[in-house]
Amino acid sequence: MPDLLLELRSEEIPARMQRKAAGDLRKMLTDGLVEAGLTYEAAREYWTPRRLTLDIRGLTARSKEVSEEIKGPSTSAPEQAVQGFLRKAGLASIAEAHVHSDPKKGDFYVAHISKPGRAAEEIIAELVPGIIRNFPWPKSMRWGPASAKPGSLRWVRPLQSILCTFGPETEEPVVVDFEIDGIRSGNITYGHRFHAPDAITVRRFDDYVSKLEAAKVVLDADRRKEIILADARNLAFANGLDLVEDDGLLEEVSGLVEWPVVLMGEFEEAFLAIPAEVIRLTIRANQKCFVTRPQGVAEALSNRFILTANIEARDGGKEIAHGNGKVVRARLSDALYFWTTDQGDLPDLRELEASAEKFGLDLKKPLDQRMARLDHLGVTFHAKLGTQGERVERIARLAEELAPMVAQSISPLEGEMAGRPEGVASRKAPASSDREKGSRPVVPTPSVAFGDISPSRGEIIALAGRAAVLAKADLTTEVVGEFPELQGAMGRKYALLQGEHPSVAAAIEEHYKPQGPSDYVPSDPVSITVALADKLDTLVGFWAIDEKPTGSKDPYALRRAALGVVRLVLDNQTPVSLLSIVAEHRKIIEDQIDRKHAEEQAKLGGDYVSASAHAGDGKSGDRDLLAFFHDRLKVYLRDQGARHDLIDAVITPQSDDLLQIVRRVEALGSFLDTEDGKNLLAGTKRAANILAAEEKKKTAVAETAEPALFREDSERSLFAAVNQAEKKAGEAIQNDDFSGALLALSVLREPVDSFFEHVLVNDEDQAVRANRLALLARIRAATGQVADFSRIAG
């Protein structure tokens, strides 16, 4: 079977676009080949900074002849319908069509279309130019004199040559000939820009790879990554250091070089006074280099870095390393300036006094100054939701409301939190290197430690309020202005430097967590409180202004925020009544919106209309947001392996305690695994089905079951059992003991079985029938305290 080799060589393609572009090329070409009637055995894409390559093995040499029939209108159809049929079938006149007969429909036209097979080379030569012209680059350009002409070729960078050969291994492959904007396909490629710039003649993929390798080009991106990583590790180890690995940077660097050469540079040790995160980001963002650390030391960095060159220099790379070192020193000088400036006083302190008084800030402290400036500058959070200062007010207020709930759910243990050193996160959170990989603690129950003295509920409320006020303060710092991805992390460092409680400092960083399904979840009660307040304010706010996610669009990451609330509540076993919190917070937001709207109307001299009146029914919006939480909870629980029918059975539109929902699901799942559970499910579903059928027929059902109308002992036994089970189950539910509630309901198994064995529900006596249906309704109501059994499969 013949093989196809295609290479599109250009100027340097941005590293971030290469992998996707190669995948797009493979998909577009293979889809086109299959659609044209060809088949293939395997296809793999490759890429370097200067080329996209596709290797397709076992491609059929010719497409099969295709015959098809296109059914047309009746022979008596109007001329307009006949002409439409001719256009669809590609016929010149109706004389080219055949007439078929049907006993019921009569005579109608049929076009017999026969498409002869085509050579693969012809199909390829037709497909590739179209793919190149319509390639989905995020950004593309035109170049040269031809760029002035309408419809000129666009590519990510100037396209220089096209290599396209086709043929079996046993024969000399042929060049698939085509041309696009003056670039004609051939069997020529070029090696490394500096080491081997001469033309290389290629036959097929195997010699293409070997000749490129000889010309200092490693075609396989994954192999380039392996070379860079192995050489970087070895070079660091040889100098008594460990490489700080970075998968994202490794992917990017492998897309910057065709012939990776790993070198080591250095900078002055004085720069190590800068936080490690800032050094790493500075060197990563500006020079695409890896940092190193002393062997066996987890947090500190060394003053040496690893760079990847694209050339084997005659001096062994000394000049390249020296040049990179000069740039790194300049960048680190800027970073050091940012770091020291953030710890000093701001020049406009007098102007910040009003904001400081509003938030209870101490203007002697640098981070407090930054928070006061954030409020004073009126930095916009969202045009409809006010400034960052107004948002911080709301978050602090909500944090004070949530703190008692969180504090009550946490059982402080003897340990380490009081005076916890910087870098030690709550609940044995992963080290920084693990957090970067998105890992999370496995232990689902909270184990927060506050030292020898556990703070009181009031102390937790105070700490949460302080943390909420400072949570966004680092947004106005110089370091975060340069590196936005360090927001939170820098706030924590500055908070510790000015003597804040470790829990406050931790919350400033951790309130952004979790940022996805695999991110770790904070367990310090102060962090939990502020993280919940931040996410709930975001969700309630955007629901209040009717900016909800639609389809695949979620510009404000509201799904992620809702999942964050779900994970914070479940991982820390924190009961939170969402509906009341959401309703109260919505009113606060609407009041802010109304005040702002009134001020704007007053400036314009117009009549004031309540802004909240435009958003619809607030309570309806609250229920809609609760339903949104239910959707996120369902997705999360299903990902954890929970049965979807049990989740649906437990959740009601009024279920606003997510933790209680999960406990009900767990208890219900365990109960249904028992024999009593299976039998009770069968009996309860039978009762529910009978009731549903009779209610649909509008059969009379008594309001209560009257013992005087019982005729069978089975009725009396079931009535007594329901009374007892309903009472005990209700008491257990009041104590959040759902396993106990189901255990109380399990006594219904035998009475229910006996009832259906000995009692005919649809008795001829209407009063008896209505009474027996009322008894079935009692069964449904009793079990419905825990779940809707009719929604459970089985």
Side-chain angles (χ1 to χ4, degrees):
M1 297 283 280
D3 300 331
L4 172 66
L5 171 62
L6 174 66
E7 179 202 71
L8 306 177
R9 189 179 65 88
S10 67
E11 296 290 341
E12 278 73 6
I13 304 168
R16 68 183 183 279
M17 298 183 188
Q18 293 168 17
R19 183 180 291 273
K20 183 179 184 302
D24 288 341
L25 177 62
R26 176 182 57 79
K27 185 177 189 308
M28 293 174 76
L29 186 52
T30 54
D31 285 356
L33 293 172
V34 171
E35 188 176 341
L38 300 177
T39 62
Y40 63 95
E41 293 176 357
R44 184 177 174 186
E45 69 273 22
Y46 299 87
W47 62 92
T48 79
R50 299 177 63 214
R51 67 200 80 221
L52 299 178
T53 300
L54 189 57
D55 173 31
I56 300 181
R57 301 292 176 95
L59 184 64
T60 48
R62 190 175 184 84
S63 63
K64 295 180 180 179
E65 183 176 334
V66 177
S67 297
E68 63 175 325
E69 292 185 354
I70 301 177
K71 187 177 179 180
S74 168
T75 54
S76 59
E79 182 63 22
Q80 187 176 358
V82 173
Q83 291 301 319
F85 165 65
L86 293 178
R87 287 193 297 271
K88 177 181 177 182
L91 302 181
S93 71
I94 199 63
E96 297 178 11
H98 295 73
V99 177
H100 288 200
S101 296
D102 184 274
K104 294 182 180 179
K105 297 181 180 180
D107 294 343
F108 58 91
Y109 292 114
V110 174
H112 293 182
I113 306 299
S114 179
K115 295 180 181 179
R118 299 170 63 199
E121 296 98 309
E122 180 185 344
I123 294 172
I124 295 165
E126 183 182 287
L127 277 174
V128 175
I131 290 171
I132 293 173
R133 285 198 178 278
N134 299 298
F135 203 81
W137 291 110
K139 292 184 179 180
S140 58
M141 62 179 289
R142 295 179 293 176
W143 62 93
S147 64
K149 299 177 183 178
S152 60
L153 176 64
R154 301 185 68 92
W155 199 246
V156 63
R157 295 292 184 269
L159 187 63
Q160 296 177 329
S161 68
I162 301 172
L163 182 151
C164 191
T165 65
F166 178 73
E169 293 183 7
T170 55
E171 299 175 12
E172 189 68 21
V174 299
V175 171
V176 179
D177 185 47
F178 57 88
E179 182 183 351
I180 179 167
D181 271 29
I183 304 172
R184 183 166 290 281
S185 60
N187 60 351
I188 301 295
T189 189
Y190 297 83
H192 193 281
R193 182 186 293 275
F194 304 111
H195 289 306
D198 297 332
I200 302 169
T201 303
V202 174
R203 296 173 65 247
R204 54 177 54 87
F205 183 76
D206 292 339
D207 73 306
Y208 169 75
V209 172
S210 60
K211 286 180 179 180
L212 280 182
E213 189 92 18
K216 305 292 186 183
V217 174
V218 179
L219 182 66
D220 188 345
D222 290 334
R223 184 162 166 258
R224 291 198 302 275
K225 289 171 66 174
E226 291 170 3
I227 292 170
I228 294 168
L229 184 58
D231 288 356
R233 285 172 175 169
N234 292 337
L235 184 56
F237 182 78
N239 287 272
L241 303 168
D242 286 332
L243 176 72
V244 178
E245 297 184 16
D246 185 329
D247 292 339
L249 180 59
L250 181 61
E251 174 78 12
E252 184 176 10
V253 169
S254 71
L256 297 174
V257 296
E258 290 193 316
W259 189 253
V261 178
V262 174
L263 304 170
M264 179 173 281
E266 64 179 330
F267 54 86
E268 286 75 9
E269 290 189 358
F271 289 120
L272 294 177
I274 305 170
E277 299 94 328
V278 179
I279 294 174
R280 182 175 179 180
L281 265 178
T282 299
I283 293 177
R284 183 192 197 278
N286 295 296
Q287 288 303 106
K288 314 302 179 190
C289 297
F290 298 88
V291 295
T292 62
R293 59 188 170 212
Q295 288 182 352
V297 179
E299 297 297 328
L301 297 181
S302 80
N303 66 323
R304 296 191 177 186
F305 59 92
I306 301 291
L307 61 121
T308 308
N310 191 36
I311 188 172
E312 289 182 347
R314 294 176 182 175
D315 64 354
K318 291 181 181 178
E319 202 59 38
I320 296 173
H322 176 69
N324 275 267
K326 288 172 65 176
V327 178
V328 165
R329 289 184 199 101
R331 297 296 186 182
L332 289 178
S333 294
D334 292 342
L336 182 59
Y337 169 78
F338 297 149
W339 168 244
T340 53
T341 300
D342 286 340
Q343 297 173 59
D345 288 338
L346 293 172
D348 51 353
L349 290 182
R350 287 189 177 180
E351 298 177 9
L352 306 181
E353 289 176 356
S355 294
E357 184 178 353
K358 184 201 305 185
F359 288 99
L361 299 168
D362 182 356
L363 289 183
K364 295 178 182 178
K365 297 182 177 181
L367 199 59
D368 289 54
Q369 295 176 21
R370 272 68 187 176
M371 178 57 226
R373 172 184 267 188
L374 182 68
D375 180 63
H376 174 71
L377 293 176
V379 178
T380 300
F381 167 63
H382 185 280
K384 295 181 180 178
L385 292 174
T387 65
Q388 287 283 7
E390 290 171 331
R391 181 166 187 248
V392 169
E393 277 188 275
R394 298 197 302 265
I395 292 173
R397 191 167 174 177
L398 184 54
E400 291 181 4
E401 184 180 349
L402 290 167
M405 304 178 196
V406 175
Q408 189 171 5
S409 67
I410 300 294
S411 300
L413 300 178
E414 190 178 278
E416 63 202 355
M417 182 166 288
R420 184 176 58 202
E422 180 182 356
V424 179
S426 54
R427 204 209 310 166
K428 299 181 181 178
S432 59
S433 59
D434 293 326
R435 291 201 299 269
E436 286 147 10
K437 298 174 184 176
S439 59
R440 57 175 173 153
V442 177
V443 183
T445 52
S447 58
V448 179
F450 289 89
D452 296 330
I453 301 177
S454 300
S456 66
R457 180 182 299 185
E459 289 170 327
I460 292 176
I461 294 172
L463 291 174
R466 175 67 173 166
V469 167
L470 295 179
K472 308 297 180 183
D474 65 351
L475 294 178
T476 58
T477 62
E478 299 287 341
V479 171
V480 172
E482 182 72 11
F483 302 110
E485 56 266 58
L486 288 180
Q487 63 186 29
M490 295 312 301
R492 179 179 192 161
K493 289 184 178 296
Y494 294 136
L496 290 170
L497 284 172
Q498 71 177 32
E500 297 294 334
H501 191 285
S503 289
V504 171
I508 293 173
E509 178 179 16
E510 294 178 344
H511 84 279
Y512 292 105
K513 302 291 185 179
Q515 292 190 330
S518 59
D519 198 10
Y520 84 99
V521 178
S523 59
D524 180 323
V526 179
S527 296
I528 297 167
T529 302
V530 182
L532 282 172
D534 177 68
K535 291 168 178 60
L536 286 171
D537 176 76
T538 300
L539 289 158
V540 176
F542 282 104
W543 246 256
I545 61 173
D546 201 27
E547 294 275 356
K548 307 169 189 175
T550 55
S552 61
K553 294 182 180 179
D554 186 10
Y556 304 110
L558 301 182
R559 292 188 180 95
R560 185 174 70 185
L563 177 60
V565 172
V566 168
R567 295 190 62 211
L568 283 162
V569 166
L570 300 189
D571 281 33
N572 293 290
Q573 306 287 294
T574 303
V576 176
S577 297
L578 286 173
L579 206 52
S580 59
I581 291 171
V582 165
E584 186 65 30
H585 199 63
R586 171 182 50 78
K587 292 175 184 176
I588 294 170
I589 292 174
E590 288 179 348
D591 287 345
Q592 282 190 348
I593 294 173
D594 286 350
R595 285 197 302 271
K596 183 177 180 180
H597 186 66
E599 291 169 3
E600 292 173 351
Q601 290 295 318
K603 290 178 182 177
L604 297 172
D607 294 330
Y608 167 63
V609 179
S610 172
S612 60
H614 305 311
D617 181 9
K619 291 183 179 179
S620 175
D622 297 344
R623 290 191 292 271
D624 185 56
L625 178 54
L626 182 60
F628 184 71
F629 277 115
H630 288 168
D631 289 341
R632 294 299 95 200
L633 177 63
K634 288 177 182 179
V635 171
Y636 177 71
L637 292 180
R638 286 167 187 166
D639 289 344
Q640 301 296 311
R643 284 172 49 181
H644 68 88
D645 58 329
L646 300 190
I647 302 170
D648 291 338
V650 164
I651 290 182
T652 68
Q654 294 76 36
S655 302
D656 70 339
D657 188 333
L658 304 181
L659 181 61
Q660 190 179 89
I661 291 172
V662 173
R663 287 175 174 170
R664 285 175 184 253
V665 171
E666 291 172 348
L668 186 58
S670 298
F671 177 66
L672 293 178
D673 286 338
T674 66
E675 197 64 31
D676 281 346
K678 293 173 185 175
N679 289 332
L680 180 60
L681 172 63
T684 304
K685 289 189 72 171
R686 185 176 177 183
N689 290 339
I690 293 172
L691 264 175
E694 296 303 319
E695 287 170 346
K696 189 174 182 180
K697 292 187 290 186
K698 297 184 179 180
T699 304
V701 180
E703 291 186 8
T704 59
E706 292 294 339
L709 293 174
F710 294 154
R711 295 179 177 177
E712 305 288 343
D713 290 340
S714 295
E715 292 177 272
R716 299 181 184 92
S717 298
L718 179 58
F719 181 73
V722 168
N723 285 336
Q724 179 185 4
E726 196 170 37
K727 180 182 177 182
K728 289 186 176 180
E731 292 172 352
I733 289 170
Q734 287 294 319
N735 297 320
D736 288 345
D737 181 9
F738 302 108
S739 295
L742 286 164
L743 182 63
L745 292 173
S746 68
V747 302
L748 293 176
R749 173 199 168 179
E750 289 186 6
V752 167
D753 290 346
S754 177
F755 177 85
F756 284 120
E757 185 177 349
H758 298 103
V759 176
L760 177 64
V761 175
N762 288 322
D763 193 87
E764 293 180 357
D765 187 323
Q766 185 176 348
V768 171
R769 180 170 66 247
N771 199 56
R772 287 173 178 174
L773 288 172
L775 189 53
L776 297 186
R778 287 286 305 279
I779 298 172
R780 183 173 65 182
T783 55
Q785 294 179 93
V786 179
D788 182 352
F789 276 55
S790 67
R791 308 190 70 173
I792 301 173

